[in-house]
Amino acid sequence: MEIDDVTQPATSPVHSEGFCLNCGAELAGTFCAECGQPSATERYRFASLGREVYGQLRKIDAGTTAKTFWALFRHPGEFVRGYLSGKRVGYLGPIKYFFYSFVTQVLFSGFAFWLTNERMFSTSADIDLRFEIVSLVSTAFWGLLWALFYRRSELNTVENIVTASYFVAQVHFLSVVMQLFLLPFAKISAWVLDYSGFVDIALTIGYSFYFVRTLFNERVLLLIPKQLILIVLYVLLFVVTILGDAFLGIFAHQVLPQA
């Protein structure tokens, strides 16, 4: 009695019989020369699915992310100058680090909302792609302000935007660490979460002073007013951008269905 592919043991590979299962090209080895897929693919079972999940998780670069976080926490100015000058092996690039921080913040907020059912976590958990784009635009604006306020530094405009990406991403991670630390106390007293937003703002402002001080070596008497003005302008831009995005959403919802 013949055994078809459906009843084969789960460990049997799916053979291509000389042609790539993905693109149909003729095979001449263990991998397709056109698309790179293996000539034989393993059937899915618990073990193979587990290996695939583990392989994808390894690509997250948790160790490299932690190393980048620690460098930005201890010596942000030294790390950024070194990265921009070419010392980049073993660290995450600014875009990837920003993306990881954003995803981490959203996932943690979703978990915290599920755990505490607190409204403050639901907003972050429901962040969509438009909010991420707004955040990226605001980060670029932060870099442009640094290029304007600290134009005597050796960094050009694009390098300031890259630097701002590291800064904002680090703030995201620090915010998660702070909320993770406060989360156990939320069960004891509700005011802990009520005032966590103020702690988050204070953390952002304090880290911004430390970040800029170590990066640009600005005198304290000039650093304080520059950073305060920059923070006010950044907040205003962020608020205007959010309101503009909300207005466009309402306008599209009211006008487009009628068109």
Side-chain angles (χ1 to χ4, degrees):
M1 181 177 65
E2 295 184 359
I3 301 177
D4 58 20
D5 292 337
V6 177
T7 58
Q8 286 180 2
T11 55
S12 299
V14 180
H15 293 285
S16 57
E17 299 182 356
F19 294 93
C20 177
L21 295 173
N22 183 59
C23 66
E26 187 174 357
L27 295 171
T30 55
F31 292 91
C32 176
E34 296 294 328
C35 67
Q37 177 166 290
S39 58
T41 56
E42 186 179 5
R43 292 182 63 186
Y44 272 108
R45 56 191 179 92
F46 283 114
S48 60
L49 182 61
R51 283 194 296 270
E52 182 171 331
V53 171
Y54 174 72
Q56 293 299 320
L57 290 176
R58 288 185 60 187
K59 295 179 181 179
I60 296 178
D61 299 327
T64 308
T65 304
K67 186 178 179 181
T68 306
F69 172 86
W70 186 245
L72 284 166
F73 181 76
R74 291 193 62 191
H75 306 291
E78 179 182 341
F79 164 74
V80 170
R81 286 194 300 270
Y83 186 88
L84 294 176
S85 65
K87 299 178 182 179
R88 304 179 183 181
V89 174
Y91 299 98
L92 287 184
I95 303 302
K96 200 170 193 178
Y97 191 65
F98 183 93
F99 175 75
Y100 280 9
S101 72
F102 195 89
V103 171
T104 300
Q105 191 176 43
V106 172
L107 291 178
F108 172 78
S109 297
F111 168 76
F113 178 68
W114 171 80
L115 189 65
T116 64
N117 201 31
E118 290 289 340
R119 184 183 299 271
M120 63 168 292
F121 293 116
S122 65
T123 303
S124 298
D126 293 336
I127 290 175
D128 57 10
L129 180 60
R130 291 188 305 169
F131 191 92
E132 185 175 358
I133 293 174
V134 170
S135 182
L136 283 171
V137 171
S138 301
T139 300
F141 180 73
W142 190 289
L144 293 176
L145 288 176
W146 272 348
L148 175 64
F149 281 42
Y150 304 100
R151 55 186 178 275
R152 292 184 179 180
S153 71
E154 69 277 9
L155 304 184
N156 60 36
T157 301
V158 177
E159 288 173 333
N160 274 287
I161 294 176
V162 168
T163 301
S165 299
Y166 272 124
F167 167 74
V168 174
Q170 186 72 357
V171 169
H172 288 167
F173 276 121
L174 290 174
S175 178
V176 170
V177 172
M178 183 270 296
Q179 292 181 7
L180 185 63
F181 174 77
L182 294 177
L183 199 58
F185 298 97
K187 294 294 185 180
I188 302 175
S189 178
W191 70 266
V192 173
L193 292 180
D194 294 337
Y195 289 96
S196 64
F198 295 101
V199 177
D200 199 16
I201 293 174
L203 178 68
T204 301
I205 295 176
Y207 181 70
S208 72
F209 279 94
Y210 175 60
F211 191 99
V212 170
R213 174 64 176 168
T214 59
L215 178 63
F216 298 112
N217 296 317
E218 183 67 271
R219 290 179 297 172
V220 176
L221 292 178
L222 293 177
L223 175 66
I224 294 176
K226 281 185 176 181
Q227 279 301 109
L228 291 177
I229 294 173
L230 190 149
I231 290 171
V232 170
L233 292 176
Y234 175 79
V235 171
L236 287 176
L237 172 74
F238 195 80
V239 171
V240 170
T241 306
I242 293 296
L243 292 177
D245 179 71
F247 174 78
L248 289 177
I250 295 174
F251 178 80
H253 179 73
Q254 292 180 347
V255 175
L256 292 182
Q258 299 176 4

